[in-house]
Amino acid sequence: MADSNVTKTEKTDPSGRLSAVVTATDGIHVVSLSGEIDHSTGDTLRQALAFPDTPRPRVIADMRQVAFMDSSGINILITAHRTLSEAGGWLRLAGTTTPVMRTITIVGLDTVIDCHDTLTQALNT
């Protein structure tokens, strides 16, 4: 796989609690998240996962630096998954931290969205 990363955009929550950097690798949008995902930072996540003008959008949310996620994040991920799937694309999660993965597993989101231990695994699946 060619290393063709190109920074597309960076979004930061005004409170400074969540940042999202979007890059592209071989046509796959990689959204690298850092911070906490909750009601007050949800718009940053929602905007970072939106690719309305992209045909068959493929998106990986790199969760390695997400320390916390509540039900707001779960709902945003479900909505993004549905939207991307309806457009012929997909959403994958990569590198999810133990506390966040516990939340994902409890609600069963890991049975809906593909979760991978590493970004490399998510890119190569």
Side-chain angles (χ1 to χ4, degrees):
M1 177 177 312
D3 188 23
S4 56
N5 288 341
V6 178
T7 300
K8 179 180 178 183
T9 186
E10 181 171 350
K11 302 209 181 272
T12 304
D13 175 68
S15 70
R17 294 187 329 155
L18 181 67
S19 67
V21 176
V22 181
T23 57
T25 300
D26 295 331
I28 300 171
H29 302 282
V30 178
V31 180
S32 299
L33 302 163
S34 179
E36 298 180 355
I37 301 169
D38 58 25
H39 178 70
S40 64
T41 63
D43 283 341
T44 300
L45 177 61
R46 190 175 294 106
Q47 291 172 12
L49 295 175
F51 293 95
D53 297 332
T54 305
R56 299 183 45 183
R58 299 173 297 159
V59 179
I60 297 173
D62 182 353
M63 309 279 284
R64 289 179 289 180
Q65 295 184 23
V66 176
F68 173 82
M69 182 172 69
D70 69 5
S71 62
S72 301
I74 296 292
N75 290 329
I76 292 166
L77 291 173
I78 290 170
T79 300
H81 167 72
R82 286 182 183 156
T83 302
L84 293 166
S85 294
E86 289 170 1
W90 46 253
L91 173 64
R92 296 177 183 159
L93 305 182
T96 308
T97 60
T98 300
V100 174
M101 192 63 196
R102 183 167 188 262
T103 302
I104 288 170
T105 303
I106 288 171
V107 300
L109 188 61
D110 58 328
T111 64
V112 177
I113 299 175
D114 289 337
C115 297
H116 299 272
D117 292 336
T118 68
L119 178 58
T120 301
Q121 289 172 345
L123 285 166
N124 293 322
T125 299

